[in-house]
Amino acid sequence: MEKITTSQFKLAKIGPMNLAQRIEQYLPEQVLELVKTTSKQADKLGGKLYLVGGVVRDLLLGYPNFDLDLVVEGDAVKLAQQIAGIGQSKLVVHPRFGTAKLSYGNFILDMATARSESYAKSGALPTVAPGTLNNDLSRRDFSINAMAISLAPGNYGELIDPYQGRSDLEQRLIRILHPKSFSDDATRILRAIRYEQRLQFGLETQTARLLKQDIPRLDTISGDRIRHELELIFREKHPEHAIKRLGELRALQRLSPSFKGNGWIAEKFDRARCLNKPNQLPPLYFCLLIYQLSERENEQFIRHLNVPKKLSQALHDTLHLKARLSLLDKPCIKASEIYYLLHEYDPLAIQANAIASESSTVQSHLQLFLTKLRYVKTLLNGEELKRLGISSGPEMGKTLQILHKAKLDGEIKDKGDEEKLALSIRAIKEED
Ligand code: ATP
């Protein structure tokens, strides 16, 4: 079946609110089958199944998105358990949250029981209870994300759009659902800017006013949630646009006062994309984001965002190495010297410095380490060295280090060279 492409697509031409045909064109056949089976099963259980959130927005825009979020008016966990028996699927359920994840090869169906939410206090996580589809849509962030498409056999394809999301899509607007939205949950400030920049939309007038007014509320959000939203920004194609905009709004500075989000970031993020695969980019962007901070500010940022150990090590290493880059800024430096200066740093920190350093000499030394030196290994192992008469313990360690250094510097090449050098080290030891 022919798929919709963005250029073929005109939002204004959707016409009637039944999207049955569009679903058939949009979803891959395998997913469509699965969705229909799930819907029939929901019907048998007396429930109703809906496609919700980002996938509905993107289906209307004609953008590909196969992260299928399904809401069930009924019991999502029970439904998922029944569906899991069909085909080769992997099921993970969270009965406490009424959610289930079904994976079929490359496709994932996220199923959730429709729920209502209320906020006891600004910035806190909401109190959740089972509810209707309308309850579920009313807890969402923006009108363009608060639409659903019915998959129930009786009204398959019907668009449910209580907040005029489709009209906002046509007018290219990001609009909150109620005036307390940002004060209930200030992560929506970061989300609004992410969508604004991704879709090249504008903020609706009242949304823009309240967003600016509620920026200080970002201080009420837990570090984990802020970090999650930053990670989502870093998965965008051009995260520097959102970072710049958040900098202009002075929202970025709530995360660390010295963040700027200026042209420097844009240039470095762009270089990062040229040098790395997409899945390596988010942690690298983090290292570049903190590059202009002092070590103390970096420390505070890591603590504030409760950064996990692996990433926090990379962030520490980034600034530690930055302070030592002058040691690498000389054209005649031995490869072994480069190696021993860098080998204890996290490779992400080295990559970040290779991108951020203004010196081409430093850049090429860092790249040499990343692409070559860190993989250099001696060919002789401990057993073979023992056979050459080198005893295990400190002597072995020292010999291996000398061999490794000679190999890095190109003084020895093959196993024969290594044996000769090892024997001469032993002979010198014996003379001593
Ligand atoms: P995309 O980034 O393409 O929108 P997505 O739809 O999967 O992907 P998520 O961040 O996973 O985006 O959120 C899923 C849905 O959950 C959103 O469409 C939105 O309706 C809702 N949502 C997520 N976070 C919030 C929030 N803080 N407040 C209200 N609704 C939210």
Side-chain angles (χ1 to χ4, degrees):
M1 190 177 296
E2 202 186 328
K3 295 283 161 227
I4 302 168
T5 64
T6 313
S7 56
Q8 287 170 320
F9 182 83
K10 291 280 173 292
L11 192 87
K13 282 195 191 154
I14 293 174
M17 279 307 88
N18 195 294
L19 299 167
Q21 203 190 350
R22 187 158 285 245
I23 299 174
E24 308 276 321
Q25 286 179 311
Y26 185 79
L27 294 183
E29 244 165 75
Q30 186 196 356
V31 181
L32 194 62
E33 278 305 302
L34 189 63
V35 162
K36 284 183 175 172
T37 311
T38 311
S39 173
K40 278 187 203 141
Q41 197 60 31
D43 196 49
K44 276 190 203 157
L45 291 171
K48 281 190 172 160
L49 188 69
Y50 302 90
L51 205 52
V52 290
V55 64
V56 176
R57 175 198 69 220
D58 288 344
L59 183 138
L60 287 169
L61 286 169
Y63 296 157
N65 180 348
F66 303 122
D67 273 345
L68 297 197
D69 284 325
L70 298 166
V71 159
V72 188
E73 273 181 331
D75 187 340
V77 171
K78 193 166 168 194
L79 176 61
Q81 281 164 337
Q82 294 193 354
I83 293 300
I86 306 166
Q88 297 282 312
S89 73
K90 218 177 96 197
L91 173 69
V92 181
V93 295
H94 297 285
R96 203 158 74 84
F97 300 105
T99 61
K101 198 184 263 293
L102 274 167
S103 323
Y104 287 82
N106 291 332
F107 297 110
I108 295 176
L109 297 190
D110 271 309
M111 292 166 63
T113 304
R115 64 196 210 195
S116 66
E117 282 181 356
S118 54
Y119 288 83
K121 114 175 172 314
S122 172
L125 283 173
T127 313
V128 174
T132 61
L133 174 74
N134 273 330
N135 293 145
D136 201 281
L137 295 179
S138 71
R139 71 182 175 84
R140 289 175 185 260
D141 43 8
F142 311 112
S143 63
I144 58 167
N145 286 341
M147 293 180 276
I149 299 176
S150 170
L151 299 171
N155 57 344
Y156 180 79
E158 185 188 320
L159 181 70
I160 296 135
D161 181 16
Y163 298 96
Q164 288 75 51
R166 182 173 177 250
S167 157
D168 285 336
L169 277 183
E170 284 168 353
Q171 295 178 67
R172 308 173 67 80
L173 287 177
I174 310 289
R175 180 196 302 270
I176 44 175
L177 306 190
H178 56 86
K180 279 182 71 219
S181 184
F182 291 126
S183 64
D184 277 348
D185 179 355
T187 62
R188 293 172 186 160
I189 293 170
L190 306 177
R191 297 178 64 81
I193 299 305
R194 177 161 65 87
Y195 291 118
E196 178 204 52
Q197 295 301 312
R198 180 204 295 176
L199 300 169
Q200 294 286 289
F201 279 21
L203 300 177
E204 171 276 327
T205 313
Q206 188 185 213
T207 302
R209 184 177 61 76
L210 290 168
L211 181 144
K212 286 177 194 156
Q213 176 192 299
D214 286 329
I215 281 173
R217 301 235 182 215
L218 279 168
D219 300 354
T220 66
I221 304 296
S222 76
D224 287 317
R225 296 192 66 218
I226 298 267
R227 196 180 71 248
H228 175 66
E229 291 301 331
L230 267 184
E231 280 162 3
L232 292 179
I233 290 176
F234 288 158
R235 279 190 226 144
E236 295 289 318
K237 208 163 163 198
H238 289 283
E240 62 274 20
H241 297 165
I243 295 293
K244 178 163 181 263
R245 178 85 160 109
L246 289 167
E248 287 162 359
L249 289 164
R250 309 220 37 96
L252 194 62
Q253 290 77 351
R254 306 304 301 195
L255 316 187
S256 178
S258 297
F259 278 151
K260 295 198 176 56
N262 53 13
W264 186 91
I265 286 272
E267 189 199 322
K268 303 307 170 198
F269 278 22
D270 208 34
R271 270 203 82 206
R273 280 190 292 275
C274 296
L275 294 172
N276 292 274
K277 297 198 186 106
N279 65 343
Q280 295 164 336
L281 287 171
L284 188 55
Y285 288 144
F286 265 108
C287 295
L288 292 167
L289 181 70
I290 58 92
Y291 203 76
Q292 312 281 16
L293 299 186
S294 69
E295 294 209 16
R296 197 182 132 92
E297 288 165 336
N298 189 28
E299 195 54 57
Q300 283 164 347
F301 175 71
I302 289 170
R303 225 175 311 122
H304 175 38
L305 262 66
N306 193 25
V307 177
K309 202 157 171 252
K310 174 133 184 39
L311 181 59
S312 95
Q313 187 61 53
L315 298 182
H316 278 299
D317 281 5
T318 299
L319 293 195
H320 195 267
L321 175 58
K322 180 186 174 191
R324 302 183 77 203
L325 286 185
S326 58
L327 298 172
L328 289 164
D329 204 2
K330 39 193 178 184
C332 299
I333 180 171
K334 281 185 160 188
S336 57
E337 216 181 308
I338 298 176
Y339 179 88
Y340 286 106
L341 255 166
L342 298 177
H343 76 292
E344 284 180 342
Y345 287 113
D346 189 301
L348 263 180
I350 301 176
Q351 185 64 282
N353 276 281
I355 291 163
S357 164
E358 301 303 332
S359 153
S360 59
T361 309
V362 170
Q363 285 172 18
S364 70
H365 289 152
L366 294 171
Q367 286 301 350
L368 178 69
F369 175 85
L370 287 171
T371 55
K372 210 169 143 201
L373 301 183
R374 67 173 159 151
Y375 302 112
V376 170
K377 301 264 178 298
T378 54
L379 298 170
L380 288 178
N381 59 32
E383 276 310 307
E384 288 165 316
L385 283 174
K386 265 197 231 162
R387 259 184 262 126
L388 293 175
I390 316 268
S391 47
S392 42
E395 188 192 352
M396 174 89 64
K398 187 84 195 133
T399 307
L400 279 169
Q401 199 186 7
I402 294 171
L403 290 178
H404 187 226
K405 199 160 166 281
K407 185 115 192 210
L408 284 164
D409 291 334
E411 292 160 3
I412 55 172
K413 296 213 159 29
D414 53 24
K415 212 165 175 177
D417 292 344
E418 287 189 20
E419 279 172 4
K420 267 189 237 154
L421 182 57
L423 289 170
S424 69
I425 297 167
R426 199 194 69 183
I428 295 167
K429 271 247 159 328
E430 280 169 0
E431 275 172 30
D432 286 352

